[in-house]
Structure formats: structure tokens, C-alpha cells
Amino acid sequence: MIRRAVLFGCLGSGAAYVLHSENRRQKVGRSVNFWRRALPIYCRYRWEEYRIKDLTEAEQDAALNALHDIYSKRIIGDILALRGLYIKLGQIMTSRPDYAPPQYQESLKVLEDHVPARPFRQIRADVERDMGLGSLDEVFASVEEEPLGAATIGQVHGANLLDGRRVVIKYQYPEVERLFTQDLETVQTFCRLLQPEFSPMLEEMSRQFKTEFDFVREAWGLQTIGDAVRGAFPGITIPRPVPELCSRRVCVMERVDGVKLVDGVKAYYEARAAEEGITIEELRDRMAARGDGSAPATASQMELYRGYLYARAAAWNALAVAYNNTAGLLLF
């Protein structure tokens, strides 16, 4: 018995070492892959900036735009090859006009709606395993194999429960949390060494990511916020989760049909521009001139706003502590 226990212990330790070694090899491989793709582009831009430093502003813009034309087309292939965090960063680059030149903005737009999804037959067994089911047929009358959408951490499929309710299944890829953590470390190292101005944004992303991978927590948030909002704001719809079918990497929630937020905002401003008899570009310029919020915030403004959010959160936390230890006792 002792020999058997020792044997199993050695096998278990060996398997853990192999898994750790495999994860480490994958981490090193992805890091090398990133540096192999990113460093030549960075060096090429730095050399071009040095080469054109004595030229006129117009000549400098022309030279840099020529590089943008080349690398904006190449970067989309690099991002789709690396996937994961790099798709998320590409999406962020398209979210504000001051994050990347127009050529990159245009090239990376494909990441907003056309992130490649995995075939449902490849993920079905993992969905069943994470939900603790022998088969999806135990709770679902049907599942749409064609995804409604895919993102950096997973994809969403429409489904119908056995009781007839229309729901969606939000599924998280099994390796995504580990890869995001590894890739974020790689990108943070790159920025610390070569582009420190992006480090604060990555630090904030790192804090945010820690809350994105637990779908049980997400289901709790949907339920809690939904219960609080529905009574006060009947015009706002928040999907109801199905808690008994939610796990760490699968969230089943009510299906709510509608338009994407980006499309809704775009339609609103198109209608507003049409009412005023002007183009979208003219409306944007007019709003920017009035300073009513459409002009992109500067880095310093964003830093001040982040400080304000932290200060407000700290104030509310202090108020909650004071209430719990004083006012709460007086009132109750």
C-alpha cells in the first residue's frame, strides 16, 4: 500500500510538473511571438521618427502615414493570430480617435463585430462539463449552434429551456483567464520598457480583468442590479439570469432582443444630424466646438476623472463604514 501511495504521489507530482512546464512553455512561446511581431514595428517607427526629425511637418506626416498604411494592414493578421488579450487591445484602439491613427482605426474595425467564433461541436462538451450536466438536453429544448456573437473571452449562443423560456448561453473559453494574465504581463513589460505612457491604462485593465472571468459573480450582479433598477426605471431592461444554470464559465440569462449599443448611439446621432440638416461629421464638429462631451478627452483629463472615481468610491466606503458603526445602531 505504501509503495502504491508513493507511486501515485509521484505520478501526480509528475503530471503537475508536466502541466506547469507546458503552461510555462506556452507562456514563453506567446511572449516570444508577441515580441517577434511587435518589436520590428516599434523599431521601424522609431527609426522613421529619427530619419524625418528635420523635415517639415507636412513631410513628417506624409512619411508616417506611409508607415501607417503598411502596418495597419499587417497588424490585423498579427492580432487574429495571437487572439485573446490582443483582440481586446485592438478593440480598445478603435474606441477613441486619439488612441490610434485613422488607418489603424479603419483596419481594426473588423474586431468590433467579426471576432472568429469556435464551432459549437468543439465547445459543447466543455459547456456540459462546466454546468455539471451529462447533456445539454437535460435542461435545453434546443440550442442554436450558430453563435449570436463572439468576443475575446468567449461566445454566446441562443437557446430555449424545456419550460419554453428564450435564453442565451454565454460561454467562456477554458484557457482564456490564464492566457489573458500571461499576455497582460508581456504587454505591460513592453510598455514599461518602450511606451510607458500606456502603463496606467494597462494597470487599470489588469484590475478590471480580475472581475470578468467569474460568471457566477456576473449572474449575481445581473440579478442584484436588475432588481434594483426595474422598479425605479421601468423603461430599462436588464436580462434576468437563470442562477441554477450558471457556473464559473457559463452564464445562462434571459434573451433580450435589441440593437447593439454602438449601433443605437450611431442611429441616434444620425437622426439628430438629419433633423438639423447636416452631416454626422458636421454634427460632431459642432458638438466639439460647444464642448458638450463629444470631443475626446485628453490623457490628463482621463487621469483626473479616474482620480475622481477613486475618491468618490473611497468616500462612499467611508460613509458605509460610518453608517454601519454609528447611524445604523441609532436607527435600528
Side-chain angles (χ1 to χ4, degrees):
M1 292 295 292
I2 294 177
R3 290 181 178 179
R4 186 178 301 174
V6 171
L7 174 61
F8 281 120
C10 291
L11 289 175
S13 299
Y17 175 77
V18 170
L19 180 61
H20 174 74
S21 298
E22 179 62 29
N23 289 343
R24 184 170 182 81
R25 280 195 295 271
Q26 186 179 45
K27 177 181 179 180
V28 172
R30 288 181 64 82
S31 181
V32 169
N33 201 6
F34 168 80
W35 281 92
R36 178 178 66 83
R37 296 170 186 269
L39 189 58
I41 298 176
Y42 174 83
C43 292
R44 181 67 181 85
Y45 270 97
R46 285 293 173 261
W47 165 250
E48 190 69 7
E49 289 177 355
Y50 173 78
R51 188 185 69 81
I52 65 176
K53 60 184 176 64
D54 296 325
L55 300 181
T56 66
E57 183 175 348
E59 291 172 328
Q60 291 181 8
D61 288 342
L64 290 175
N65 278 324
L67 283 187
H68 298 337
D69 290 337
I70 296 172
Y71 289 113
S72 63
K73 296 179 177 63
R74 184 181 302 179
I75 194 175
I76 188 66
D78 292 339
I79 287 175
L80 291 176
L82 292 166
R83 293 183 64 89
L85 173 71
Y86 302 103
I87 291 180
K88 172 71 78 174
L89 293 176
Q91 292 171 333
I92 291 174
M93 288 173 68
T94 67
S95 65
R96 283 178 43 145
D98 57 337
Y99 277 169
Q103 295 93 326
Y104 286 90
Q105 298 268 332
E106 184 64 29
S107 178
L108 295 173
K109 278 183 179 179
V110 67
L111 300 177
E112 296 177 358
D113 298 306
H114 301 95
V115 177
R118 299 180 185 179
F120 186 71
R121 64 180 181 276
Q122 292 184 8
I123 69 171
R124 176 170 183 144
D126 190 48
V127 173
E128 292 170 338
R129 183 164 48 250
D130 203 72
M131 295 179 69
L133 299 174
S135 171
L136 294 180
D137 297 336
E138 295 175 18
V139 293
F140 296 103
S142 63
V143 177
E144 299 172 10
E145 293 198 3
E146 186 69 23
L148 297 173
T152 53
I153 70 171
Q155 57 198 63
V156 177
H157 291 262
N160 290 293
L161 296 176
L162 292 176
D163 60 12
R165 281 180 291 171
R166 298 172 68 243
V167 296
V168 297
I169 304 171
K170 182 178 178 181
Y171 164 74
Q172 179 187 140
Y173 302 133
E175 74 285 357
V176 71
E177 182 174 6
R178 174 174 53 82
L179 293 183
F180 261 61
T181 301
Q182 294 174 356
D183 293 342
L184 191 57
E185 291 176 0
T186 299
V187 177
Q188 284 177 315
T189 300
F190 179 89
C191 287
R192 278 197 299 269
L193 294 174
L194 302 175
Q195 292 189 287
E197 66 271 18
F198 288 103
S199 291
M201 180 187 73
L202 290 172
E203 291 172 6
E204 186 63 33
M205 286 178 61
S206 179
R207 284 189 288 268
Q208 180 62 32
F209 283 160
K210 294 177 181 178
T211 67
E212 288 193 8
F213 299 109
D214 187 352
F215 284 179
V216 173
R217 179 188 177 106
E218 179 174 324
W220 174 85
L222 283 171
Q223 187 70 55
T224 303
I225 295 172
D227 290 344
V229 167
R230 287 186 193 97
F233 304 97
I236 297 178
T237 301
I238 296 178
R240 299 176 186 272
V242 185
E244 64 272 19
L245 298 181
C246 294
S247 59
R248 180 168 176 79
R249 293 193 295 106
V250 177
C251 184
V252 179
M253 68 185 79
E254 173 188 14
R255 182 168 181 169
V256 178
D257 296 318
V259 299
K260 294 189 307 179
L261 178 61
V262 172
D263 292 341
V265 172
K266 182 180 178 181
Y268 167 78
Y269 282 110
E270 286 176 346
R272 182 170 169 182
E275 288 177 0
E276 299 185 23
I278 57 177
T279 66
I280 285 286
E281 291 73 19
E282 290 171 332
L283 177 63
R284 183 180 61 231
D285 293 341
R286 183 180 299 180
M287 294 176 66
R290 289 201 300 260
D292 58 1
S294 66
T298 64
S300 59
Q301 288 172 329
M302 292 296 292
E303 191 65 28
L304 286 172
Y305 182 64
R306 187 174 70 163
Y308 159 72
L309 291 178
Y310 284 144
R312 187 179 67 172
W316 276 109
N317 288 337
L319 181 61
V321 171
Y323 174 83
N324 290 336
N325 289 282
T326 56
L329 295 175
L330 293 175
L331 293 173
F332 300 104

